[in-house]
């Protein structure tokens, strides 16, 4: 299974910080500035949400971001332009829902979807995909297209994913595993028990990097997750809340970007702190 | 979909293999509590009008007033067998929510129903019925607040609570095994209709008609006729006010996904969808909220692709006229969803053969306010004059 440059985001001795934003929220230009601020703040890879009308894996915060982005005119084609316009040098992951991959472009006789989408994404500079509504059983065509164009397919592992399915899931995955810290949908408002440690233990035998997401809202949480053994953290809603608040209060793009960069630094620093707690520094260093 | 494997396993064991006598208990309860079998009634006046033998499968007489209880009772009972402690469901017209609330009360399970805000206003009597049965009704405010959003929101709840909760999906939609399982519970409709017609007329029908939203009453009514290749199967969709899709607004003023949709993936199923060129799901519309969904069951879409099922549709006006016609001619006030099938019968009875079975998927009590309002906005050929009683209901 071939892979992209995503592996570089997960260094052996530096936990990865992977932020998420909905692309085009609340406008194309502001969103560009926000993504660049996250890179500036220490992101090791960035998940770019391509808005879909039926985001069943998202909690209210990201649902609302998606509505703002769609209302502002975001489409798959605009998304690719957005990626091309970005001035960042970390790997970019496209997070979206399968129907958008499935419908994109013209499909020739005998050709299988979602190849045209993957080809276009590769050309724009995307390194991998997260597709929450695509079960491993149906991932074959996307996996093949990813292999063809050298992209990664990242799978989400829930605390309830049965062991027998886990194997199949890991089989079609590359880049990293997106480990859900708890049951449910994205959001910082945690309704279900955190099961990070339990999940990481179940996944220990697989050597893909494990990035934990769902409900990480600040440096302390980030530290805890990394201390529990994760190779990286994924943070969405806490960042999107800053964007939402900026939009509601009509703040300047620069002010919102500065706050995003600050939270990004806090999260990256927190992750490092967690790593140090886990691996005590050798004497004298 | 987190719990799909567990559900697949339970479906195979209990529903397909009758483990622990599940199917026996389901059949006993749907008779005692639900009132099955429902009659297959010869519709004398419509038969005379069309010079065709019209038989009505009276699912409106099932407890709750619609076919919905077949599935709701089946799934709530299955949840019990699976050891689940809580029931959630989405509802559009409120009929599935009502049926689920009834089944949950009957089987003593706590129950929460997600319902779009807009549908809550359109279907107030059903909101009250759900609450009377002890269910909680949770308003869904995203999107246009109809069935599509309610399904998404129920799936989100389920993703969080899957270990103790079962999601009673309301039609033959969603990820496998839901579409097949829901069809199996509703297949009682065609099992009975086939036997009843045989006993009455000693023959198979030439045509079977059922309205189609997600398609659960439809597949239930078709299932035992699918192998009888001479029986025409007609899925009557909501043509709404127009069959076009407004890409700019992201709205289809219809719910005719079988007739006009294209293949895509929604709510865990690959099927025909109302979508724009990018693959964004558009908002559907119908005068009947129960048909108001941008997708349709994958099995029904497949039967359409194979040419076995004819996808047809009638617009809002024809459905309302069908509503009034069945009320006046047969003394049966149908649900607005059901009324679509009678709209089609009126327009096409000449092409359907000599013996036609129409599924009366539900009764219209829930729709009286909406029907009055929609009727007043139009110049229908056969509506009663309510002018002297104006002032609403
Ligand atoms: C009476 C009635 N008929 C039909 C439907 C449409 O559902 P389906 O297409 O799944 O049968 C509904 C849905 O609420 C309904 O209440």
């Amino acid at each position: 299974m071939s892979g992209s440059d995503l592996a570089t985001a997960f260094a052996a001795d530096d936990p990865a910080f992977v932020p998420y934003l909905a692309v085009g929220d609340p406008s194309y230009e502001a969103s560009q500035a926000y993504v660049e601020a996250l890179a500036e703040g220490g992101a090791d890879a960035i998940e770019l949400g391509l808005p879909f009308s039926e985001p069943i894996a998202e909690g209210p915060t990201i649902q609302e971001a998606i509505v703002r982005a769609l209302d502002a005119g975001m489409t798959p084609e605009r998304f690719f332009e957005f990626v091309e316009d970005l001035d960042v040098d970390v790997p970019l992951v496209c997070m979206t829902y399968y129907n958008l991959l499935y419908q994109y472009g013209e499909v020739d006789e005998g050709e299988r979807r979602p190849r045209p989408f993957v080809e276009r994404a590769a050309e724009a500079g995307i390194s991998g995909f997260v597709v929450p509504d695509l079960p491993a059983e149906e991932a074959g065509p996307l996996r093949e297209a990813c292999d063809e164009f050298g992209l990664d397919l990242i799978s989400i592992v829930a605390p309830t994913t049965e062991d027998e399915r886990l194997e199949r899931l890991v089989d079609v995955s590359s880049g990293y595993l997106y480990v859900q810290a708890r049951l449910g949908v994205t959001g910082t408002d945690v309704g279900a028990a955190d099961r990070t440690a339990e999940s990481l233990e179940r996944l220990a035998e697989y050597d893909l990097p494990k990035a934990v997401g769902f409900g990480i809202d600040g440096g302390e949480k980030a530290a805890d997750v990394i201390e529990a053994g994760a190779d990286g953290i994924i943070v969405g809603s806490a960042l999107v809340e800053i964007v939402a608040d900026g939009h509601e209060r009509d703040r300047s793009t620069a002010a919102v970007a500065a706050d995003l960069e600050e939270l990004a630094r806090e999260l990256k620093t927190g992750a490092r702190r967690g790593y140090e707690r886990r691996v005590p520094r050798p004497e004298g260093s | 979909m987190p719990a799909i494997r567990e559900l697949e396993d339970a479906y195979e064991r209990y529903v397909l293999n009758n483990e622990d006598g599940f199917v026996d208990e389901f059949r006993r309860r749907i008779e005692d509590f639900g009132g099955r079998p429902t009659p297959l009634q010869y519709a004398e006046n419509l038969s005379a009008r069309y010079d065709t033998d019209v038989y009505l499968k009276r699912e409106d007489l099932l407890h709750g007033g619609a076919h919905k209880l077949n599935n709701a009772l089946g799934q709530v009972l299955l949840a019990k067998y699976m050891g689940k402690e809580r029931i959630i469901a989405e509802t559009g017209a409120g009929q599935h929510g009502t049926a689920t609330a009834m089944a949950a009360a009957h089987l003593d399970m706590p129950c929460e129903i997600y319902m779009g805000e807009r549908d809550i206003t359109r279907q107030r009597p059903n909101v009250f019925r759900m609450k009377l049965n002890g269910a909680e009704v949770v308003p869904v405010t995203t999107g246009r607040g109809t069935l599509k959003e309610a399904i998404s929101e129920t799936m989100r709840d389920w993703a969080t609570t899957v270990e103790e909760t079962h999601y009673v999906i309301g039609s033959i939609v969603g990820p496998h095994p839901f579409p097949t399982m829901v069809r199996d519970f509703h297949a009682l409709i065609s099992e009975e209709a086939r036997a009843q017609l045989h006993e009455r007329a000693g023959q198979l029908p030439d045509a079977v008609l059922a309205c189609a939203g997600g398609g659960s009453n439809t597949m239930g009514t078709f299932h035992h006729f699918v192998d009888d290749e001479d029986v025409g199967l007609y899925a009557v969709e909501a043509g709404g006010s127009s069959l076009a899709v407004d890409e700019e607004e992201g709205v289809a003023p219809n719910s005719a996904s079988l007739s006009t949709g294209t293949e895509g993936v929604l709510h865990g199923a690959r099927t025909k969808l109302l979508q724009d060129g990018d693959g964004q799901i558009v908002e559907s519309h119908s005068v009947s909220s129960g048909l108001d969904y941008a997708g349709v069951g994958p099995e029904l879409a497949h039967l359409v692709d194979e040419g076995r099922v004819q996808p047809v549709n009638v617009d809002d006006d024809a459905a309302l006229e069908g509503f009034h016609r069945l009320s006046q001619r047969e003394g049966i006030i149908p649900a607005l969803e059901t009324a679509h099938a009678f709209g089609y019968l009126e327009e096409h009875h000449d092409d359907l053969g000599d013996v036609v079975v129409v599924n009366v998927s539900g009764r219209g009590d829930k729709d009286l306010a909406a029907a009055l309002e929609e009727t007043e906005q139009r110049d229908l050929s056969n509506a009663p004059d309510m002018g002297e009683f104006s002032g609403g209901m």
Side-chain angles (χ1 to χ4, degrees), chain B residues 65-68 91-96 147 170-172 186 211-219 289-291 335-338 360-363 366-367:
Chain B
H67 68 291
K68 300 282 178 186
T91 196
Q95 284 303 106
H96 174 60
L147 184 56
S171 192
I172 54 167
H186 282 304
C211 67
S216 68
N217 93 90
T218 333
M219 273 318 300
S289 27
L291 300 184
L336 283 174
E337 291 79 12
T338 311
V360 184
S361 60
R363 66 176 188 229
K366 70 183 173 59
D367 290 322

Side-chain angles (χ1 to χ4, degrees), chain B residues 45-304:
Chain B
N45 303 319
L46 287 187
S47 296
R49 178 180 176 87
Y50 300 135
D51 193 19
T52 300
D53 286 336
V54 178
Y55 289 88
L56 308 178
K57 182 58 178 161
R58 298 290 307 275
E59 290 301 291
D60 60 312
L61 293 177
L62 190 66
H63 180 44
H67 68 291
K68 300 282 178 186
L69 187 70
N70 299 321
N71 168 48
L73 184 68
Q75 285 201 55
V76 176
L77 187 63
L78 184 66
K80 270 233 130 117
Y81 275 62
M82 291 171 75
K84 301 290 175 185
E85 289 159 7
R86 173 176 172 260
I87 294 298
I88 53 173
E90 90 292 340
T91 196
Q95 284 303 106
H96 174 60
T98 304
T100 305
M102 286 171 169
H106 174 65
L107 292 166
D108 193 21
M109 298 270 265
C111 171
E112 280 171 51
I113 309 289
Y114 287 87
M115 188 170 187
E117 256 189 337
R118 183 185 151 88
D119 284 336
I120 287 180
T121 14
R122 288 202 280 186
Q123 304 285 351
R124 284 190 64 80
N126 270 343
V127 176
F128 189 45
R129 288 212 288 169
M130 287 181 256
K131 296 194 69 103
L132 285 172
N133 284 132
E136 252 185 76
V137 179
V138 188
V140 177
T141 55
T142 48
R144 255 182 78 244
T146 60
L147 184 56
K148 169 167 77 74
E149 288 79 22
I151 293 179
S152 293
E153 202 52 29
T154 317
M155 285 186 164
R156 293 183 186 111
D157 179 319
W158 202 36
T160 317
T161 57
V162 54
E163 286 158 306
E164 74 280 355
T165 298
H166 177 66
Y167 174 14
V168 179
I169 207 162
S171 192
I172 54 167
V173 300
H176 179 75
F178 277 120
T180 358
M181 179 171 77
V182 174
R183 178 209 64 201
D184 287 349
F185 289 132
H186 282 304
L188 291 171
I189 304 172
S190 48
E191 183 184 305
E192 289 170 8
R194 201 172 189 286
Q196 287 165 323
L197 187 66
H198 189 78
E199 192 171 310
R200 289 280 281 282
Q203 70 169 109
L204 285 168
D206 295 311
V208 177
L209 270 61
C211 67
S216 68
N217 93 90
T218 333
M219 273 318 300
T221 309
F222 292 172
H223 184 66
H224 289 280
F225 294 110
V226 168
D227 290 338
D228 302 314
E229 306 223 336
D230 294 335
V231 178
L233 304 175
Y234 295 82
V236 188
E237 296 190 289
S241 55
S242 153
L243 285 183
V245 171
D246 182 343
E247 294 233 352
E248 196 63 27
E249 291 292 314
V251 175
N254 63 70
S255 309
S257 31
L258 285 174
S259 312
T260 70
T262 51
E263 193 193 64
V265 180
L266 175 63
H267 292 140
R270 176 173 308 166
T271 183
K272 290 183 190 295
L273 305 175
L274 300 176
Q275 55 187 330
D276 69 13
D278 288 333
Q280 305 288 1
I281 310 305
V282 302
E283 300 289 344
S284 55
H285 168 79
S286 166
V287 66
S288 61
S289 27
L291 300 184
D292 206 341
Y293 181 57
V296 63
E299 183 186 13
L300 195 52
H302 178 71
L303 289 171
V304 165

